[in-house]
Amino acid sequence: SCNPDDATGLVQLHRFGGKSVVHSNATECICPPSSGNPNSCCSSKDGAGSNTGDFCGSMFNEHHCGGETPMCCTSNGDAQCCKQGSVCTPDCKSGMSCGCIEPTTAACPSLVSFEAGLACECTCDSCGSLPTVDPEELKAGKAMIITTSKDPAQFMDFKYEPLSAGGTSQMKMELNPDVTVQEILGFGGAFTDATAWHYEKLSTCMKKTFIEQHFGATGLGYTVGRVPMGASDFSRMNYVLDNFTDDYDLEHFCLRDDSATDAPCGTDYKIPAIKAAQDAIHKVSSEGKLKLFVSSWSAPLWFKDQRWSCTVPDTAAIPVCTYDETLPPTVTCSEVIDAPCSDNSIGESCPTTPLHESSIAKFASQPTFLNEQQGKEHRP
């Protein structure tokens, strides 16, 4: 026999709805932040409030969590007891269904759930490891298949399957490594203002982890970086590197970033991350070098006073354009984001400033262009 009130026993008996559920009480019920329906998450009974018992339920399901499955994931319409270290699916907070996601791969040792989805969290001690290719499996005629999916949750889970396994593939590829057509310079990512802003906020050890994961010997092996010329869509404000009209000799060139409206020339917080990436690549190989290329983004004002007439010929899909001074400007800029914007919520626009009052217009010797903007109805 088993005494249901004996809290010292390894097994407890619970009754609800005419049914009995037996579980180990070696590990108490845990209500993770990713769970929904908090009043019935690890409560003493339905709706009694979180962390008052081991009840994990919804309007349709009732469970008691503990032992090997102490994590309670619940929503208004679903509930489930999960293994230690699991997180709840994102729809636990936003929908009726609810389930568990277990970090079962070495690539994702720390799984975190957000309203918008799931993410793997890096720490100074662990950031996961990439699957290692086994040459013997490949020599045996097998393919390495790496899978990442939401349902079921898999993060770079991998397996080997024979090439003759069949299936429903709709594409056939023939590879001939003896014939080279073009050179691959490498793979990489972008050094944007957003990257630099977040990188600057990391601790010293997390900066090392971040760089190692992307450019180090145990990481992705990146060797290429793209740097936007001036502000891009990953910047907190609008700015340009030379806004003096007709300055083709770049006498007024100003290397800067989005850290402040009046950021001094020579200030660019992308440089520390770029240098750290170069150092990491050099440690992998003494001959290793970080390859950088610059991509133009939004041009200065004096490049935007352009007046074009464009047509699309019947024989081509590419438009043919000719300059016409009698036409209005092709691009009309009326307002800009003139200060770093970082505390707005998702979907909320950043505050803007009329162009003729902004710092960008301060150095633009374009009285005609700016006067045209005066008196217009300015809209974000």
Side-chain angles (χ1 to χ4, degrees):
S1 63
C2 177
N3 183 356
D5 296 323
D6 184 4
T8 62
L10 294 179
V11 176
Q12 283 188 295
L13 178 65
H14 297 269
R15 297 184 179 275
F16 60 90
K19 297 180 180 180
S20 298
V21 174
V22 180
H23 70 82
S24 167
N25 66 0
T27 302
E28 296 180 352
C29 183
I30 301 172
C31 183
S34 54
S35 179
N37 192 15
N39 289 331
S40 296
C41 181
C42 295
S43 59
S44 58
K45 61 180 181 179
D46 186 19
S50 62
N51 299 318
T52 58
D54 62 2
F55 178 87
C56 179
S58 66
M59 64 178 66
F60 300 113
N61 293 318
E62 294 181 352
H63 302 279
H64 291 266
C65 301
E68 296 181 355
T69 55
M71 310 290 290
C72 171
C73 289
T74 178
S75 66
N76 290 330
D78 200 0
Q80 189 172 342
C81 294
C82 312
K83 292 182 179 179
Q84 182 85 37
S86 300
V87 296
C88 309
T89 54
D91 47 10
C92 289
K93 285 191 172 183
S94 58
M96 293 292 287
S97 61
C98 184
C100 314
I101 298 181
E102 303 169 11
T104 58
T105 63
C108 184
S110 180
L111 189 64
V112 182
S113 177
F114 297 94
E115 182 178 352
L118 301 168
C120 291
E121 182 182 32
C122 283
T123 65
C124 293
D125 300 322
S126 176
C127 198
S129 58
L130 299 174
T132 302
V133 178
D134 186 348
E136 297 301 321
E137 293 281 5
L138 302 183
K139 291 179 181 179
K142 295 181 179 180
M144 183 183 187
I145 301 175
I146 303 176
T147 304
T148 296
S149 63
K150 176 183 178 182
D151 188 15
Q154 300 178 78
F155 291 86
M156 298 193 73
D157 198 10
F158 70 95
K159 61 181 178 180
Y160 291 93
E161 286 191 359
L163 293 175
S164 58
T168 58
S169 59
Q170 300 178 3
M171 180 183 296
K172 182 179 180 180
M173 299 178 62
E174 294 185 5
L175 304 179
N176 188 348
D178 297 326
V179 178
T180 58
V181 180
Q182 61 187 25
E183 180 184 0
I184 297 177
L185 297 179
F187 298 88
F191 291 97
T192 63
D193 288 320
T195 299
W197 185 58
H198 288 287
Y199 180 80
E200 190 179 56
K201 294 176 179 293
L202 297 176
S203 64
T204 301
C205 69
M206 277 307 303
K207 287 179 179 178
K208 293 180 179 179
T209 298
F210 175 82
I211 294 297
E212 176 65 25
Q213 286 291 308
H214 292 86
F215 301 93
T218 61
L220 297 174
Y222 280 179
T223 57
V224 178
R226 176 175 63 82
V227 184
M229 182 184 293
S232 72
D233 52 348
F234 282 92
S235 299
R236 292 181 293 153
M237 61 172 288
N238 299 122
Y239 68 92
V240 296
L241 304 184
D242 190 342
N243 206 35
F244 282 78
T245 302
D246 297 334
D247 184 16
Y248 296 105
D249 294 328
L250 300 180
E251 295 180 0
H252 300 282
F253 179 82
C254 176
L255 180 66
R256 56 159 296 173
D257 53 32
D258 68 347
S259 59
T261 301
D262 56 349
C265 295
T267 301
D268 191 347
Y269 58 1
K270 295 185 285 293
I271 293 177
I274 293 174
K275 287 185 174 181
Q278 171 61 70
D279 292 341
I281 293 173
H282 190 71
K283 289 180 181 179
V284 176
S285 170
S286 59
E287 302 296 325
K289 293 182 179 180
L290 175 65
K291 304 179 184 69
L292 293 176
F293 67 93
V294 176
S295 59
S296 58
W297 220 264
S298 184
L301 290 179
W302 53 286
F303 273 94
K304 292 183 176 178
D305 190 16
Q306 301 178 9
R307 303 162 193 269
W308 298 92
S309 174
C310 301
T311 59
V312 181
D314 296 334
T315 58
I318 301 176
V320 176
C321 299
T322 56
Y323 189 73
D324 187 346
E325 290 186 353
T326 65
L327 297 176
T330 306
V331 177
T332 301
C333 178
S334 60
E335 298 201 5
V336 298
I337 301 173
D338 203 36
C341 176
S342 56
D343 55 359
N344 58 314
S345 59
I346 297 176
E348 179 185 359
S349 299
C350 292
T352 58
T353 301
L355 173 63
H356 61 277
E357 299 177 5
S358 69
S359 61
I360 289 181
K362 178 180 178 182
F363 302 104
S365 53
Q366 287 189 326
T368 302
F369 177 81
L370 294 178
N371 287 338
E372 288 179 354
Q373 306 306 307
Q374 299 276 3
K376 285 188 176 182
E377 181 182 357
H378 299 294
R379 296 181 180 180

